[in-house]
Amino acid sequence: MGRYIGPKTRIARKFGEAIFGIDRAFEKKNYPPGQHGRNRKKVSEYGTQLKEKQKAKAIYGVQEKQFRNTFARAERMGGIAGEDLLRLLESRLDNVVYRLGIAPTRAAARQLVSHRHITVNGAVTNIPSYQVKIGDVVGVREKSKSLEVITESLGTGARSRYSWLEWDAAAMCGKFLQRPERADIPENIRENLIVELYSK
């Protein structure tokens, strides 16, 4: 199955929260889509766990096989599997580009990476799932620094500061200082439910 490219508000309504940021349409209809959206039956324990996994996949734009492989890697890290899963997702190149404010959304960040506008340690990297390592410098390729989507995103001033990232506005690059602590990751994901789902 390919990547979903339909209306994002529909996905946000499915999970009952604006997972893609401010959404005027979601504010008007913040109940599940479909003609029975307001009258959904009680969800089972398995259904709740599955929904949480699907929400995490939707937020980070990851497909099932990638997500399962990332979880398997998180389990091998020896720490708390759920927290390590989120740390690995946050370390993806497309997510780091988004967190640095180079792109307005993760989807836009993934496109910038795929179209070879992003560098890691000075070398062009076009793999959105690339795992950024501690000390890596993620920046905009010289020829791409005037791209409208990048200048507009950086010019909004709405970019949040994250303790695990360091931004150099003059050079248009950021340094990945460390993998984030769970408390620093703003996403509303109950990772323990994902761990329970994969433990069945």
Side-chain angles (χ1 to χ4, degrees):
M1 183 178 172
R3 192 179 299 280
Y4 177 79
I5 57 173
K8 287 188 174 181
T9 299
R10 184 177 179 85
I11 300 299
R13 288 175 62 195
K14 174 182 176 181
F15 299 117
E17 57 186 284
I19 61 173
F20 299 113
I22 297 171
D23 188 336
R24 302 296 180 210
F26 174 79
E27 290 171 9
K28 293 178 182 176
K29 296 182 178 181
N30 57 358
Y31 50 86
Q35 66 182 36
H36 303 295
R38 295 177 191 254
N39 303 308
R40 293 285 168 91
K41 294 180 181 178
K42 185 179 178 182
V43 182
S44 67
E45 180 184 355
Y46 173 78
T48 303
Q49 295 166 349
L50 179 62
K51 188 175 179 181
E52 204 64 26
K53 183 193 77 168
Q54 290 173 328
K55 181 168 77 172
K57 284 169 53 183
I59 288 172
Y60 288 100
V62 179
Q63 294 186 317
E64 180 60 36
K65 186 176 180 181
Q66 280 184 317
F67 194 86
R68 190 168 56 245
N69 290 342
T70 304
F71 182 80
R73 183 179 173 189
E75 280 192 310
R76 293 195 298 269
M77 289 171 69
I80 301 172
E83 293 184 9
D84 286 336
L85 170 66
L86 293 185
R87 289 190 186 102
L88 288 174
L89 290 171
E90 284 289 331
S91 301
R92 284 172 54 97
L93 180 57
D94 55 358
N95 185 75
V96 172
V97 169
Y98 165 69
R99 291 288 190 211
L100 287 170
I102 297 170
T105 64
R106 286 187 179 89
R110 187 162 48 250
Q111 189 173 47
L112 286 177
V113 174
S114 298
H115 291 186
R116 304 176 64 84
H117 297 298
I118 302 299
T119 63
V120 178
N121 298 326
V124 172
T125 305
N126 65 342
I127 304 170
S129 61
Y130 175 86
Q131 281 288 311
V132 180
K133 302 173 186 65
I134 295 172
D136 280 355
V137 175
V138 176
V140 180
R141 194 179 69 164
E142 194 62 39
K143 292 181 179 179
S144 307
K145 289 184 176 179
S146 59
L147 272 180
E148 187 176 350
V149 65
I150 294 174
T151 55
E152 281 189 2
S153 182
L154 291 172
T156 59
R159 179 168 46 85
S160 300
R161 299 287 181 179
Y162 298 98
S163 60
W164 65 93
L165 297 171
E166 183 180 78
W167 176 249
D168 182 343
M172 290 180 73
C173 66
K175 190 173 184 179
F176 191 76
L177 302 175
Q178 61 190 39
R179 283 199 170 135
E181 295 298 323
R182 177 61 187 101
D184 296 328
I185 300 173
E187 307 304 340
N188 181 29
I189 296 172
R190 293 177 290 173
E191 64 275 7
N192 59 305
L193 295 180
I194 300 172
V195 175
E196 291 171 11
L197 176 67
Y198 279 115
S199 298
K200 290 183 180 296

